[in-house]
Amino acid sequence: MPASFTFCLRWFVLVLLTGITASAATLRAYIQPERAQTGQVVTYVITVQNGTVQSLPQLRLPAQVGMNSGVSTSQNIEIRGNERVFSTQLAWGVAGTEPGEFVIPPQEVLVNGEVLKTNEVRLTVSEAPAVPGAAESPEDARTPLFQIEVGKTEIYQGELVPISASLFVPRSVMLRRVGLIEVNKSDFAIARFPQQADQTETVINGVGYIVVTYRSMLSALHAGDLKVGPASCELLFEVYDEDPRSMRRSLPFGMVMGNNETKKQVVKSQEVKVKVLPLPAEGKPPHFSGAVGDFSISATATPNELSVGDPLAVDITIDGSGNFDALNPPSLMPPDGWKPYPPRRYNVDGPVDPNLTPTAQRRIGYSMVFVPEKQHTQLPPFELSYFSPTQKKYVIASTAPIPLRIKPGAVVVAAAGGEGTAGGEAPKPPAVQQPKPNISDILMVVPPQARWLNTANIAASTPLTGSARFWAIQSIPAALVLVAVLFTWVRRQREEAASGLRGELTQLWRGLDQPGLEDRDFLQRAAHFIHRSHSGEVQDEELRQILQRYETQSFTATPTTAQSLGSGERGRIMSKLAPLLKRAAVVIATLAVLSANAVAADESPDTIYRQAREALEKGKFTQAQYLGESLTRKDPPALSAAVFSLIGHARYRQEDLGRAALWYQRAQLLEPANPEVRQNLRHLDEKLRFFRFQQDSPLAEWSLMLNKNTWIIAASAGVWLILLAVFGCVLSGSRKSCGGACALALIIVGFLVLIPSATLAAVRPEPDTRVKDVMVVTAREVSAYTAATVTSGSVVDLPPGSQVRLLEKRGAWTYVEIPSSGEPVRGWVESATYTPLWPWNAALLP
């Protein structure tokens, strides 16, 4: 009896657990990708969670969708809190045979003894475009093909559209390396193609291809009938006699045997015609900033109870798909009675991973501070204007009003009591600060060697600049350097004299004077000298006789019968050739001067700068940027604060705020007191809140307002004022005159000029220390990490325009120092995200 009871109890528990598991089992079907071309193999997946598949289903597919591969199964265990979730995936390869939209019906799967049904799935199949260069037979498939595809061929200016670049790899080809995909970006802004790719299969003309697809986003810079591409990519691949994949499966340890050929080739795609429509002028909102897409907006505010003059923190979230880079902070409508402070923009979902496929779907946030200047019952709505390409019209999205309870503040009470408001000024709200470092891990940077303190001999740590032996030792390498410079200069002078036509003629002249030279060789070298020194036909009769004598000596007579040259005749020939050597040197120098003048005339910096200004005034910002930057790439470069400011204007108008800040900072290095540059940088700082290195003291900051020579001249002027007052007293010979008000005033003014000027000249930082290893972040969505990988801990987000100091470079990553409101922090950033602040010689800085 007890044994039967135990068996029944176990059976009851087993049935109960099976029932719970079966009731918790879920099925979901999906297809990846949802859009394909005819013949392209996609994956149909059924996912079973918390259940055991007891029999594989027989797929029911539409007649236009065929199965290309059998089922493959995989299992996964996911930890969700304290719960473990088991899932099983069943995957099939299917392909559409004709274009259209097809519905894959629900499939029946036996799970835990119960038949469950999946959801239906839709597959959209489009006609596969002709792939240029596709092989007609398997024997011709020896080279990968390249093709690009744009999501829409009729788009609006600024609209984000997906673009894909597909490599069609024949089965007889094995890819070894895929280079960067480059597309002409003169008419489109195209995000970098990531390394992550989708892989499918397809059949073209009876030839099987593996399709490797890279996806990105593009937007048109201007309207018109434009062309995308051609795109190009460098490939390294191997060609086999048969399918290397099947060979790997048939051979042990994944070996590939047989004849193979390694090739490196640049493949190019076709061009895609795109019609770009301009944004309509009708119905454009007054606050429209150029954003194109579909967005939604929401807002929260804290605290809900406050007094007049207290700060109100507002967080705004914008969600949707579109050109987020063109968005401006939403506007408070109406703004009356509210004092705003500059907003700070951030990514709600954290930094954007550059290794993932770019997408138009994002979420960004704005952190704002508002101060109520009077009592309100609610925070008014925020409005965001954009152009919707799906609705083909301008849309103004707004948030819901937020109820508030605002009490009278100190300013209101003072006004009600009839007293002045000067003593009752409301407290200022905290300004929006730069991003605070959020260090989540330590930096594992250990130097290879330790630097020990000399504790045994403390006197040895005194400065070397006070030691005569130190300066004596330093004079030795200085003398060696001077001798080396002198030797190099002499060697270069000799090399210049021996190079070119002049050097060749000099060598020929020395060969004529070589002792023991036979008559035939002497005439040959003389003839060669005459031909090299004349660009056309020889007109001089004596020179023609020398050439005729050489031809007679070399081609019509033998050495025994030819008349020999005496020493007198050789001397006469050399005296005739001597003027040719001098004349050739004069002609070469004249041609060099004329060539230099012609180049200078063709590439006049003033002319190019004038063209750049005209392009900027006409709204041709890309052309103005190109012309301005071409001046900085000259040899030697044409550098000017005006040119830097012009490039900054052009970059700003193209919404490239990071590089605009870079060029404005370069202009400020040349003209620190330029009010326009300072105002532009202040405006960009309010929009971006970037980091910048500051001087160690206010004196060093003030010293940069003028260059060092100016401070020295001002100090010398102060010295002369003092000397003039003293000389006046001495020459007058009267103490009363010496103590006069005029002399005393000159002395006071002299000291007032001398002391500040000399101090500022002494503390002014040297140009090299101001720009050495200083980089400026020009890319968007940049973050610093605790290690050289995006999966490590974060340090701080770096807005465009931020300055960092390079400490160590390791491949694609750089270890940098980042200025902060407190103590500077350090971290790793990607090397492709920054540009040197001053890439030229630091000695050019004032």
Side-chain angles (χ1 to χ4, degrees):
M1 185 69 179
S4 302
F5 176 79
T6 302
F7 173 79
C8 293
L9 181 61
R10 289 180 178 178
W11 180 84
F12 175 76
V13 172
L14 180 61
V15 171
L16 180 60
L17 291 177
T18 305
I20 294 175
T21 307
S23 61
T26 59
L27 270 71
R28 186 175 73 92
Y30 63 92
I31 198 163
Q32 187 179 12
E34 298 177 349
R35 296 179 176 271
Q37 299 174 353
T38 53
Q40 180 181 351
V41 179
V42 297
T43 306
Y44 177 74
V45 182
I46 297 178
T47 301
V48 181
Q49 284 190 353
N50 294 332
T52 303
V53 179
Q54 296 177 320
S55 65
L56 297 177
Q58 297 293 327
L59 282 189
R60 295 183 300 149
L61 300 174
Q64 298 85 354
V65 179
M67 188 188 309
N68 285 59
S69 65
V71 63
S72 62
T73 61
S74 61
Q75 294 183 344
N76 183 41
I77 300 177
E78 182 181 356
I79 306 298
R80 297 179 183 175
N82 296 327
E83 181 183 1
R84 290 188 297 178
V85 179
F86 299 87
S87 63
T88 303
Q89 282 192 344
L90 310 176
W92 293 265
V94 299
T97 58
E98 60 183 64
E101 184 174 350
F102 309 105
V103 177
I104 299 179
Q107 310 295 328
E108 295 181 350
V109 185
L110 181 61
V111 179
N112 296 335
E114 182 181 358
V115 177
L116 302 179
K117 287 188 176 182
T118 66
N119 56 294
E120 66 178 25
V121 176
R122 294 181 179 271
L123 173 63
T124 303
V125 182
S126 59
E127 184 68 34
V131 180
E136 298 295 336
S137 63
E139 291 76 13
D140 300 333
R142 310 280 290 178
T143 304
L145 308 176
F146 196 30
Q147 186 179 31
I148 60 174
E149 184 178 357
V150 181
K152 295 169 61 177
T153 57
E154 183 173 299
I155 62 177
Y156 284 94
Q157 180 180 347
E159 179 183 358
L160 277 182
V161 179
I163 177 176
S164 61
S166 300
L167 283 170
F168 293 80
V169 185
R171 292 188 173 276
S172 60
V173 171
M174 178 65 72
L175 281 179
R176 293 303 181 191
R177 186 179 70 243
V178 180
L180 294 178
I181 299 175
E182 298 180 355
V183 187
N184 184 13
K185 299 180 181 179
S186 59
D187 298 324
F188 297 89
I190 304 176
R192 182 181 65 177
F193 284 88
Q195 298 179 352
Q196 187 179 25
D198 300 331
Q199 184 168 319
T200 58
E201 299 180 5
T202 188
V203 177
I204 304 175
N205 298 333
V207 179
Y209 289 89
I210 304 297
V211 185
V212 183
T213 304
Y214 300 87
R215 306 184 188 278
S216 183
M217 305 295 295
L218 67 80
S219 62
L221 300 177
H222 56 85
D225 294 330
L226 308 178
K227 293 181 179 179
V228 182
S232 61
C233 179
E234 184 182 74
L235 303 179
L236 181 67
F237 58 93
E238 295 185 15
V239 182
Y240 296 85
D241 292 337
E242 56 180 298
D243 185 0
R245 297 163 183 82
S246 61
M247 295 171 61
R248 273 204 175 97
R249 288 191 294 266
S250 60
L251 293 176
F253 307 108
M255 297 184 297
V256 177
M257 300 181 61
N259 297 327
N260 64 295
E261 178 184 1
T262 302
K263 292 184 177 181
K264 178 187 290 186
Q265 182 175 342
V266 176
V267 293
K268 289 189 176 182
S269 71
Q270 86 288 8
E271 294 180 345
V272 178
K273 295 182 179 180
V274 177
K275 183 177 182 180
V276 181
L277 304 175
L279 299 181
E282 182 180 359
K284 181 181 294 186
H287 298 288
F288 178 69
S289 61
V292 180
D294 292 287
F295 307 95
S296 62
I297 180 173
S298 60
T300 59
T302 55
N304 297 108
E305 295 185 4
L306 66 161
S307 301
V308 174
D310 292 343
L312 178 68
V314 179
D315 281 323
I316 299 176
T317 302
I318 301 176
D319 192 354
S321 61
N323 187 4
F324 278 84
D325 294 334
L327 285 176
N328 279 346
S331 304
L332 186 66
M333 300 302 292
D336 300 336
W338 295 90
K339 183 179 180 181
Y341 284 81
R344 181 179 69 86
R345 174 171 168 165
Y346 61 93
N347 288 322
V348 176
D349 300 324
V352 178
D353 190 349
N355 297 319
L356 300 179
T357 302
T359 176
Q361 192 76 25
R362 287 175 57 190
R363 279 198 306 168
I364 66 170
Y366 287 97
S367 177
M368 299 183 177
V369 173
F370 289 88
V371 175
E373 298 176 330
K374 59 182 181 180
Q375 287 183 279
H376 299 274
T377 59
Q378 62 182 12
L379 180 67
F382 288 89
E383 291 187 354
L384 176 70
S385 58
Y386 60 91
F387 180 81
S388 174
T390 56
Q391 304 180 38
K392 298 183 179 180
K393 66 176 182 179
Y394 292 98
V395 178
I396 299 179
S398 60
T399 63
I402 301 176
L404 299 174
R405 292 184 60 187
I406 301 179
K407 304 175 183 179
V411 176
V412 178
V413 172
E419 301 177 358
T421 60
E425 184 178 356
K428 293 184 179 180
V432 178
Q433 300 295 326
Q434 291 175 336
K436 297 294 183 181
N438 182 20
I439 303 174
S440 60
D441 198 358
I442 62 171
L443 289 170
M444 299 292 291
V445 179
V446 181
Q449 291 183 344
R451 301 181 59 182
W452 308 107
L453 293 177
N454 190 359
T455 57
N457 187 6
I458 300 178
S461 61
T462 56
L464 293 176
T465 54
S467 172
R469 182 182 300 176
F470 170 78
W471 292 110
I473 295 174
Q474 297 302 315
S475 63
I476 297 175
L480 294 176
V481 170
L482 182 61
V483 172
V485 170
L486 182 61
F487 175 77
T488 304
W489 181 80
V490 173
R491 187 186 63 185
R492 288 182 178 176
Q493 293 295 325
R494 291 179 178 178
E495 291 177 353
E496 291 178 0
S499 61
L501 179 58
R502 183 179 179 182
E504 184 180 354
L505 294 177
T506 303
Q507 293 295 331
L508 290 174
W509 179 262
R510 293 174 181 173
L512 290 172
D513 201 18
Q514 182 178 351
L517 189 66
E518 295 184 359
D519 293 345
R520 184 174 183 179
D521 295 334
F522 177 83
L523 290 173
Q524 181 181 7
R525 296 182 181 183
H528 191 192
F529 185 92
I530 295 171
H531 285 303
R532 292 297 296 144
S533 60
H534 285 73
S535 58
E537 184 179 357
V538 179
Q539 301 294 337
D540 189 271
E541 185 62 30
E542 295 184 2
L543 296 178
R544 296 177 65 178
Q545 289 179 3
I546 297 174
L547 294 175
Q548 186 177 2
R549 180 69 179 273
Y550 160 67
E551 295 173 357
T552 304
Q553 183 79 0
S554 300
F555 305 112
T556 60
T558 61
T560 55
T561 60
Q563 183 180 358
S564 61
L565 296 174
S567 60
E569 189 170 0
R570 285 196 179 192
R572 184 181 62 81
I573 293 176
M574 294 187 66
S575 63
K576 184 62 180 176
L577 298 181
L580 298 180
L581 182 62
K582 298 180 179 180
R583 187 175 65 184
V586 173
V587 171
I588 293 171
T590 304
L591 291 176
V593 172
L594 293 177
S595 176
N597 293 336
V599 172
D602 291 341
E603 300 180 356
S604 172
D606 293 330
T607 303
I608 298 177
Y609 178 69
R610 185 169 58 253
Q611 295 173 357
R613 286 187 68 245
E614 293 174 356
L616 187 69
E617 293 172 355
K618 295 179 181 178
K620 300 178 180 179
F621 305 123
T622 304
Q623 182 181 0
Q625 167 209 325
Y626 172 78
L627 291 172
E629 293 181 358
S630 67
L631 289 171
T632 65
R633 292 191 292 266
K634 282 181 172 293
D635 188 16
L639 307 179
S640 169
V643 173
F644 295 166
S645 298
L646 182 145
I647 301 173
H649 302 336
R651 288 286 189 180
Y652 181 86
R653 294 305 178 195
Q654 297 178 79
E655 298 295 334
D656 192 353
L657 302 185
R659 289 182 175 84
L662 166 67
W663 286 104
Y664 285 141
Q665 291 176 27
R666 289 174 175 174
Q668 194 176 39
L669 289 174
L670 300 182
E671 295 183 359
N674 189 309
E676 289 80 9
V677 175
R678 293 168 65 91
Q679 180 172 326
N680 289 343
L681 281 174
R682 184 166 63 251
H683 168 67
L684 281 172
D685 184 49
E686 291 176 353
K687 295 188 69 172
L688 301 174
R689 290 300 179 188
F690 47 72
F691 299 96
R692 292 186 68 182
F693 287 104
Q694 303 296 332
Q695 298 300 327
D696 297 335
S697 65
L699 284 178
E701 188 72 29
W702 297 338
S703 68
L704 295 176
M705 302 304 292
L706 299 175
N707 59 47
K708 194 165 189 176
N709 291 335
T710 305
W711 292 122
I712 293 174
I713 293 172
S716 63
V719 172
W720 280 108
L721 288 176
I722 299 172
L723 292 178
L724 286 175
V726 175
F727 289 159
C729 292
V730 174
L731 294 176
S732 65
S734 172
R735 292 185 178 180
K736 184 177 181 180
S737 301
C738 182
C742 182
L744 182 61
L746 284 177
I747 292 175
I748 294 174
V749 173
F751 276 108
L752 290 178
V753 174
L754 170 62
I755 295 175
S757 301
T759 302
L760 294 175
V763 303
R764 192 179 194 276
E766 295 297 328
D768 183 62
T769 60
R770 293 159 52 198
V771 298
K772 184 179 180 182
D773 297 330
V774 177
M775 308 292 167
V776 177
V777 176
T778 54
R780 298 185 178 96
E781 314 295 347
V782 179
S783 297
Y785 301 92
T786 57
T789 172
V790 296
T791 59
S792 62
S794 62
V795 177
V796 65
D797 292 335
L798 294 175
S802 298
Q803 293 182 357
V804 297
R805 192 181 303 279
L806 189 149
L807 300 177
E808 177 188 350
K809 193 167 184 181
R810 185 184 300 173
W813 289 84
T814 304
Y815 187 49
V816 299
E817 182 180 65
I818 305 164
S820 181
S821 56
E823 185 178 359
V825 295
R826 296 187 176 189
W828 292 91
V829 299
E830 292 183 272
S831 303
T833 59
Y834 60 75
T835 304
L837 174 61
W838 189 261
W840 306 281
N841 191 346
L844 298 173
L845 290 174

